[in-house]
Amino acid sequence: MAMGGLVSNRNFTSFIGPGSVYQLGKDLSPQRRGSSCVFGVRYGMCFHHAKDPLNEKVSKPIPTFHDEVQHYSPLSQKSIHCMNLKLKASRRCQCYLSSDPYSSSLIQPRAVYGLGLSKLETKMDSLASTEGTGEAVLLEGNVPQVSSWWQQFPKRWVIVLLCFAAFLLCNMDRVNMSIAILPMSQEFNWNSATVGLIQSSFFWGYLLTQILGGIWADKLGGKLVLGFGVVWWSMATVLTPIAARVGLPYLLIMRAFMGIGEGVAMPAMNNMLSKWIPVSERSRSLALVYSGMYLGSVVGLAFSPVLIQNFGWPSVFYSFGSLGSIWFALWLRKAYSTPKDDPDLGVEEKRLILEGNASNAPVSDIPWKLILSKAPVWALIISHFCHNWGTFILLTWMPTYYNQVLKFNLTESGLLCVLPWLTMAAFANIGGWIADTLVRKGLSITVIMQSIGFLGPAFFLTQLSHVKTPAMAVLCMACSQGSDAFSQSGLYSNHQDIGPRYAGVLLGLSNTAGVLAGVFGTAATGFILQRGSWNDVFKVAVALYIIGTLVWNIFSTGEKILD
């Protein structure tokens, strides 16, 4: 809404309603009296006839946007009072109105881009004309676009929050089986071997689409691939109870299908953020997205028992799976693969994102030979394997450790399993803010953050053999996972550092090694426990953490090596 107004002690008083403002229809020369002026406006009018000369007092009703009636009070020749007009506006404008006959443009609106909201303050100052009388009035105001707070929210962080929600659903749909498998095994008379087969079938599809998901995301765009993944695994989740009642082979296929959908999530998300997030915000955005996974496990573990107890085990799959449709509707409406594709993205925010970023052009060919010839790429793959070995062991075997070693009952073990996830969610975001602060100060975070992510868990795991109380053991486990979360600002953000155009493929490569570490590490832990103790399990994890630290510090880099 543009505003303009003139209060003159000689000629006329005017009001401009909301709309597009144009120049005066007639010239305002000092010799002309008794003439009317008309402003061309879209929704409002400027009107006043002033035939009386100097010292005429004006008190006329002026229509406003809300049909209120306001009056101008008498004005003296020497001073003009300041007025604050609180009106809803659609533009920030600045208007100058003069009765100078030589002025070629009497009203000049100027649109200004702005993200924030400010009050309209209209200042009116009397100006002396060439004839010595207070003739012209300068009306100046900053009128921002008034819209809801969610419309003012930066679009790049809308993308981050949608990815956060996708990862929240990802782990909710993944962990619900670990709870529902108990009543399902009783109903269908499954033995332990069958339960283990069902749990592992998820990884068949999950491994299949790690690299493929990265290739698809880099070529087709992250929006399409991540949207496909969420819809695919949500449908598989909803169909799980039906497949279980049809037969075991169908259930195994359905769990593998679910893994296919979730396998593309991380590469597609990494591709999206590499296009949308500037380097100075990269760590905290990744930390927030990955904390969605941790909180998804918390929500899944907390609500699954309640749903099963009140509505039966199928309700977990129906309720969790149906949430994907809500997310997908928002994703289609709000998300774009790159900032250049978003027609509603503001000029300033688009410049902030694109300035200094790598090319957002889709990838036509993947330079596999070049990628696999780079030492930092292999540092990513090896470090991801070492990292996930310890992480998957703790997350998979933690309830057993609590029950067998710390002598907690199953209920206590289940509740305490939530604690490391909460700790990881908190420390991932703390680490993200620290990393971005260091980046803004010009410091490299590649070595610092990942060294904490490796050496922190290694230190706290070594303390487990020395603690005397269960409380201290739980504290060590929580601190181990909390320091592990700093890897989100190190290892997990490095894909975008060394090759932003191939971020999806790079994450697919390294995460494949990470998934294999989880599969082999989980099986190896059972083998070690048959012949050794928990201390032996922790020693293997600590050794791999140290190997990962050495490889990372020697071969990794935070500089772009792939273009």
Side-chain angles (χ1 to χ4, degrees), residues 339 469 511 527:
T469 63
N511 202 43
F527 180 80

Side-chain angles (χ1 to χ4, degrees), residues 108-180:
Q108 295 292 337
R110 179 167 60 90
V112 179
Y113 175 82
L115 287 176
L117 292 174
S118 62
K119 292 183 179 180
L120 168 65
E121 294 184 358
T122 306
K123 298 181 180 179
M124 304 178 64
D125 299 321
S126 60
L127 302 174
S129 68
T130 56
E131 299 179 352
T133 60
E135 175 101 18
V137 175
L138 176 66
L139 182 67
E140 181 178 354
N142 288 329
V143 185
Q145 182 176 358
V146 174
S147 55
S148 304
W149 65 267
W150 57 85
Q151 293 176 311
Q152 299 293 332
F153 195 75
K155 287 297 295 291
R156 63 189 184 277
W157 284 97
V158 172
I159 300 296
V160 172
L161 290 177
L162 285 172
C163 290
F164 166 87
F167 275 51
L168 183 79
L169 296 177
C170 177
N171 265 31
M172 285 176 61
D173 292 341
R174 184 187 301 186
V175 303
N176 59 10
M177 177 59 81
S178 64
I179 303 296

Side-chain angles (χ1 to χ4, degrees), residues 130-389:
T130 56
E131 299 179 352
T133 60
E135 175 101 18
V137 175
L138 176 66
L139 182 67
E140 181 178 354
N142 288 329
V143 185
Q145 182 176 358
V146 174
S147 55
S148 304
W149 65 267
W150 57 85
Q151 293 176 311
Q152 299 293 332
F153 195 75
K155 287 297 295 291
R156 63 189 184 277
W157 284 97
V158 172
I159 300 296
V160 172
L161 290 177
L162 285 172
C163 290
F164 166 87
F167 275 51
L168 183 79
L169 296 177
C170 177
N171 265 31
M172 285 176 61
D173 292 341
R174 184 187 301 186
V175 303
N176 59 10
M177 177 59 81
S178 64
I179 303 296
I181 197 71
L182 299 175
M184 290 174 70
S185 60
Q186 294 177 356
E187 179 176 337
F188 298 109
N189 297 317
W190 293 332
N191 57 30
S192 298
T194 303
V195 170
L197 182 64
I198 294 171
Q199 294 280 39
S200 64
S201 61
F202 169 85
F203 291 99
W204 303 347
Y206 193 70
L207 277 171
L208 182 64
T209 53
Q210 288 295 313
I211 297 177
L212 287 177
I215 296 173
W216 294 337
D218 289 341
K219 287 188 174 183
L220 304 177
K223 176 182 179 178
L224 177 64
V225 177
L226 184 55
F228 158 79
V230 175
V231 171
W232 187 276
W233 87 59
S234 296
M235 291 177 59
T237 301
V238 171
L239 293 175
T240 296
I242 300 174
R245 289 196 166 96
V246 173
L248 180 61
Y250 297 95
L251 176 60
L252 296 177
I253 293 173
M254 196 57 61
R255 291 295 294 175
F257 277 5
M258 182 179 174
I260 289 174
E262 294 204 1
V264 305
M266 290 180 67
M269 176 277 301
N270 216 38
N271 175 276
M272 288 285 292
L273 296 194
S274 70
K275 303 293 191 297
W276 274 93
I277 303 300
V279 176
S280 60
E281 299 174 353
R282 182 172 294 165
S283 294
R284 83 186 82 159
S285 64
L286 282 169
L288 180 60
V289 171
Y290 281 114
S291 67
M293 296 183 66
Y294 311 144
L295 292 178
S297 297
V298 172
V299 173
L301 292 172
F303 283 93
S304 292
V306 177
L307 290 172
I308 292 173
Q309 184 177 1
N310 290 279
F311 306 104
W313 63 264
S315 64
V316 175
F317 299 99
Y318 295 145
S319 57
F320 286 7
S322 62
L323 294 176
S325 61
I326 301 174
W327 178 92
F328 186 64
L330 292 173
W331 184 252
L332 286 179
R333 183 177 178 182
K334 299 293 185 182
Y336 294 88
S337 291
T338 68
K340 293 180 180 178
D341 298 334
D342 190 344
D344 299 324
L345 185 64
V347 177
E348 290 294 329
E349 187 176 9
K350 181 177 290 187
R351 183 167 65 239
L352 172 66
I353 296 171
L354 299 180
E355 203 168 53
N357 271 12
S359 172
N360 287 318
V363 176
S364 57
D365 295 312
I366 307 296
W368 291 108
K369 186 176 180 180
L370 177 64
I371 290 174
L372 296 176
S373 66
K374 300 294 184 179
V377 173
W378 285 102
L380 263 177
I381 295 172
I382 295 171
S383 298
H384 208 146
F385 182 91
C386 296
H387 170 268
N388 275 29
W389 183 284

